[in-house]
Amino acid sequence: MFKKVFARTKALEDVPFHFCPGCTHGIIHRLIAEAIEELNIFEQTIGVCPVGCAVFAYNYFACDIFQAAHGRAPAVATGIKRALPDRVVFTYQGDGDLAAIGMGEIIHAAARGEKISVFFINNSVYGMTGGQMAPTTLPGQITATTPYGRDREINGNPIKVCEMLSVIEGTAYVARVSVHNPASIIKAKKAIKKAFQVQLRGLGFALVEILSTCPTNWGLSPAEALNWLAENLIAYYPLGDFKIPKEEAKNV
Amino acid sequence: MAKVLMKGNEAFGEGAIRAGCRFYFGYPITPQSELAHFLAKRMPEVGGTFLQAESELASINMVFGAAGAGARAMTSSSGPGISLMQEGISFIACAELPCVIVNIMRGGPGLGNIAPVQSDYFQATRGGGHGDYRLIVLAPSSVQEIIDLIREAFDLAEKYLNPVLMLGDGLLGQMMEPMELNEEKNFFIPPRPWAASGRMGGPKRIINTLYIVPEEAEKHNLKLNQKYKKIEANEQRWENYQTEGAQLVLVAFGTAARICMGVVDYCRDQGLPVGLIRPITLWPFPVKAFDSILSLDTVHYFLSVEMSTGQMIEDVRLAVNGRRPVFFYGRYGGMLPVLTDVVKEVKKLLLEEEP
Ligand SMILES: Cc1ncc(C[n+]2csc(CCOP(=O)(O)OP(=O)(O)O)c2C)c(N)n1
Ligand code: SF4
Ligand SMILES: [Mg+2]
């Protein structure tokens, strides 16, 4: 008899992802689904998926799920969580979704300390609409709408979401992780799990920013994209915990 | 039951609670704020949730979330706020979720003013947001009718899985009138197999508005359209006021209808054969009211009286369909039609030469 060492999590549907080759959205989907299964919260979890490349998340996650308007997932999640406080509610949002059009909703959900878990996928571009500049696009980065590179004078500066949200009362857990290599993936999974645990313990708002690749719009091969992320995105967006629950902070 | 004195805006709130609504999300705007003030106090008393959102974009999406999770939810606003909600309303209509939205109209366009108008008729009855959809639109004209109709609004929303919009104006909202409270609904959430409330051992539910394959999108549009046809057939509501023998029939809703009732009474006292059709559902527009009145053959003219430059008149014309001339009288920008001015219009039509 062979021992089964890896199985598809039941929190994901058994269908192929539509993401481009080398896109790390798929890895992040799997990590969230595995966390849901391992925490044994599948039956009470409700997801809110965004407008963006992850718009079909409802086809992949096997839990109950909403497809929200661009940027509004935190408001939708607020409505769900207020109606059903004993359920586990998460949002999955891109950087255009969360940090541009949806900035109002995310800040206020955080300030209210909504007991939801937010997974924020920062790939430094608008993937779905063809690689335009996102609020997270790096200075100098070439995108479809910054063909000469992002110019701080013209396009302003990137927004560091974790740094900003961590100073807001109401956030209980804020962390930035990456998925560019196996070690970082293991750490990302831990953070994702923790974001759910913070919600389960009723501690407040939890957000995990996950640096992610967009090889298609970056114009790189999957392998090059992983390297570009490691060298450029992580340099600008340092990884780590920006806020941990108070009770844990005391023990450090 | 004993009569109580209540403001229109408060009646929306009390009526919602008596209809079993336990979730209100909203953002302050005059002239509807008393509704929010009232529910901020009242919701906690009944174990409900009142939440002040950061914007109308957020409040309508909170309603989307709560309704999709299976709750009776509502929001309220006025002009600019309702405009901001349109994307969310389109999503709710597409996802076929029940909810109630109250628009206490204010002068526009732009920031306009806070005076009573009826100039959001087009926005309310033509869908309002993007895509092929309809809202059920109810237009009360008294405080009593507010409390009766908001209960019906929640029931219709649930029956057809469709958002219901209630249209009022600042006058109706601020007006205090005695009314009879209806009984508190025995609050229960009927089984909602469509609600994405966590699987809890059941099948997966998706609250979705994306139909990327045109064939599927067409099917969904067809399904919505069939529902709208059913609503048009079954849910037209109106009041005929002194229409018997009327040669001139006024058409007015809400506050304008209250003024027109006075006009009708005054004219009848003077022996002028004037009546009123008061649409209660603005969508579906009560076409049947016109068909039945035209079958009597006494009517010569219709006069649409509105607090706008003429919006409902388009529906009146469609309903009359060329069978009689349709005239218009309106005041706008927050000015109210004055009884004597409307009477002047009436006399022009009835007593002067054929217009
Ligand atoms: C109101 C509105 N404006 C614009 C769009 C078009 N749109 C769809 S996805 C998207 C950007 C998505 O980028 P991001 O959130 O970074 O997600 P990614 O595709 O990169 O994962 C935009 C602008 C929309 N759907 N709705
Ligand atoms: S466009 Fe970019 S973010 Fe979207 S699926 Fe392709 S690689 Fe992933
Ligand atoms: Mg992106």
Side-chain angles (χ1 to χ4, degrees):
Chain A
M1 275 295 279
F2 292 105
K3 198 172 149 230
K4 198 170 185 180
V5 293
F6 181 81
R8 171 182 284 274
T9 160
K10 71 165 183 142
L12 277 185
E13 303 279 7
D14 191 3
V15 291
F17 288 131
H18 71 280
F19 301 115
C20 306
C23 175
T24 46
H25 263 305
I27 295 176
I28 300 165
H29 275 42
R30 205 192 72 218
L31 295 181
I32 294 171
E34 285 176 357
I36 290 170
E37 186 178 4
E38 287 165 24
L39 292 167
N40 208 12
I41 52 173
F42 174 69
E43 296 294 344
Q44 71 257 42
T45 295
I46 304 168
V48 185
C49 58
V51 168
C53 276
V55 71
F56 290 116
Y58 59 78
N59 283 335
Y60 307 136
F61 289 107
C63 57
D64 274 4
I65 197 151
F66 284 67
Q67 177 263 308
H70 195 20
R72 315 297 169 219
V76 175
T78 297
I80 301 167
K81 188 72 182 184
R82 295 293 179 122
L84 301 168
D86 62 341
R87 303 298 200 271
V88 176
V89 181
F90 76 89
T91 72
Y92 187 106
Q93 303 179 254
D95 41 0
D97 193 75
L98 181 142
I101 197 167
M103 189 56 110
E105 282 76 7
I106 199 66
I107 287 184
H108 287 276
R112 287 192 302 267
E114 292 297 340
K115 295 174 187 68
I116 59 173
S117 310
V118 174
F119 303 114
F120 168 45
I121 289 67
N122 177 357
N123 58 10
S124 78
V125 286
Y126 285 23
M128 168 166 255
T129 41
Q132 297 87 354
M133 182 187 73
T136 46
T137 295
L138 299 180
Q141 189 178 339
I142 289 173
T143 72
T145 48
T146 53
Y148 307 108
R150 181 176 188 159
D151 181 338
R152 289 183 195 260
E153 279 301 312
I154 298 169
N155 310 111
N157 300 288
I159 293 176
K160 295 182 172 177
V161 169
C162 284
E163 285 81 344
M164 187 175 68
L165 289 185
S166 60
V167 300
I168 290 182
E169 282 181 71
T171 55
Y173 178 55
V174 180
R176 185 182 289 124
V177 297
S178 175
V179 288
H180 65 285
N181 61 25
S184 68
I185 290 174
I186 290 168
K187 278 193 192 152
K189 167 109 168 256
K190 263 197 184 151
I192 288 168
K193 253 180 143 164
K194 184 153 180 167
F196 279 125
Q197 282 161 335
V198 163
Q199 178 177 172
L200 287 166
R201 282 153 61 203
L203 299 179
F205 179 93
L207 178 139
V208 179
E209 174 173 342
I210 303 146
L211 301 182
S212 185
T213 60
C214 179
T216 300
N217 288 303
W218 292 354
L220 299 174
S221 74
E224 287 167 344
L226 292 172
N227 287 334
W228 191 87
L229 186 160
E231 280 164 25
N232 298 280
L233 277 189
I234 294 178
Y236 200 90
Y237 298 109
L239 305 182
D241 286 343
F242 289 83
K243 192 165 186 180
I244 54 172
K246 279 195 194 98
E247 46 183 69
E248 286 169 37
K250 273 184 222 141
N251 301 332
V252 178
Chain B
M1 219 179 236
K3 295 220 167 191
V4 296
L5 203 60
M6 223 178 214
K7 255 191 187 181
N9 279 335
E10 296 171 347
F12 278 110
E14 184 62 30
I17 283 184
R18 283 166 188 265
C21 172
R22 289 295 178 273
F23 294 89
Y24 173 93
F25 306 96
Y27 186 84
I29 187 167
T30 312
Q32 62 81 56
S33 289
E34 293 89 353
L35 205 176
H37 302 171
F38 179 85
L39 282 178
K41 261 202 202 134
R42 195 73 175 89
M43 273 299 185
E45 287 175 6
V46 294
T49 296
F50 170 92
L51 187 60
Q52 181 169 329
E54 62 271 27
S55 70
E56 292 85 354
L57 296 173
S59 39
I60 193 67
N61 280 286
M62 290 172 183
V63 168
F64 178 68
R72 275 203 159 179
M74 73 173 289
T75 183
S76 63
S77 187
S78 181
I82 298 287
S83 293
L84 275 182
M85 287 184 195
Q86 293 303 331
E87 181 198 30
I89 296 174
S90 167
F91 273 61
I92 294 173
C94 182
E96 296 193 85
L97 299 178
C99 72
V100 173
I101 302 144
V102 176
N103 178 6
I104 304 298
M105 292 179 281
R106 55 185 264 164
L111 193 53
N113 60 33
I114 56 172
V117 297
Q118 300 182 321
S119 48
D120 297 349
Y121 182 93
F122 282 153
Q123 185 196 50
T125 58
R126 266 65 181 160
H130 59 287
D132 241 336
Y133 75 93
R134 297 292 178 162
L135 305 175
I136 297 172
V137 184
L138 303 177
S141 71
S142 68
V143 177
Q144 181 70 56
E145 201 174 24
I146 289 173
I147 203 146
D148 294 339
L149 273 186
I150 194 165
R151 163 178 304 228
E152 208 161 329
F154 277 102
D155 289 344
L156 285 169
E158 193 113 358
K159 180 173 172 192
Y160 292 103
L161 295 181
N162 208 69
V164 175
L165 182 76
M166 295 194 69
L167 268 192
D169 59 60
L171 196 78
L172 193 64
Q174 306 291 331
M175 185 160 76
M176 266 198 157
E177 282 187 318
M179 54 148 194
E180 245 169 56
L181 288 169
N182 43 30
E183 264 163 56
E184 184 125 11
K185 203 161 208 162
N186 213 346
F187 179 57
F188 77 106
I189 294 186
R192 291 174 164 120
W194 46 264
S197 49
R199 290 183 62 165
M200 307 309 259
K204 170 179 169 183
R205 275 83 41 107
I206 305 172
I207 303 294
N208 179 38
T209 72
L210 177 65
Y211 291 86
I212 199 86
V213 181
E215 282 83 353
E216 284 171 21
E218 186 177 51
K219 251 189 239 157
H220 187 60
N221 271 285
L222 185 67
K223 179 184 174 221
L224 291 178
N225 199 252
Q226 282 165 347
K227 174 171 83 175
Y228 301 148
K229 290 271 173 299
K230 210 160 115 193
I231 298 171
E232 279 180 323
N234 299 333
E235 306 298 347
Q236 296 181 23
R237 287 166 177 62
W238 72 91
E239 182 193 358
N240 281 338
Y241 187 70
Q242 306 235 34
T243 47
E244 228 165 276
Q247 285 176 19
L248 173 67
V249 172
L250 307 176
V251 188
F253 70 94
T255 294
R258 288 292 285 269
I259 296 165
C260 284
M261 283 179 177
V263 172
V264 170
D265 292 343
Y266 180 90
C267 290
R268 287 281 178 173
D269 279 349
Q270 300 208 342
L272 294 168
V274 178
L276 167 73
I277 293 177
R278 179 173 73 87
I280 297 171
T281 51
L282 302 183
W283 194 89
F285 193 71
V287 176
K288 291 175 186 173
F290 293 84
D291 288 341
S292 66
I293 219 166
L294 282 168
S295 69
L296 297 178
D297 244 30
T298 48
V299 182
H300 295 185
Y301 317 112
F302 290 93
L303 176 65
S304 189
V305 180
E306 303 175 49
M307 286 143 62
S308 74
T309 51
Q311 300 193 5
M312 182 180 66
I313 187 170
E314 293 195 359
D315 284 331
V316 177
R317 286 207 176 108
L318 284 170
V320 172
N321 201 12
R323 289 174 284 185
R324 297 289 187 281
V326 178
F327 298 92
F328 177 72
Y329 180 78
R331 292 297 300 269
Y332 6 102
M335 298 301 290
L336 291 172
V338 178
L339 187 137
T340 46
D341 290 340
V342 185
V343 169
K344 231 185 267 167
E345 283 300 304
V346 167
K347 285 186 173 164
K348 226 191 319 184
L349 288 171
L350 280 181
L351 303 178
E352 289 175 18
E353 295 279 290
E354 285 281 308

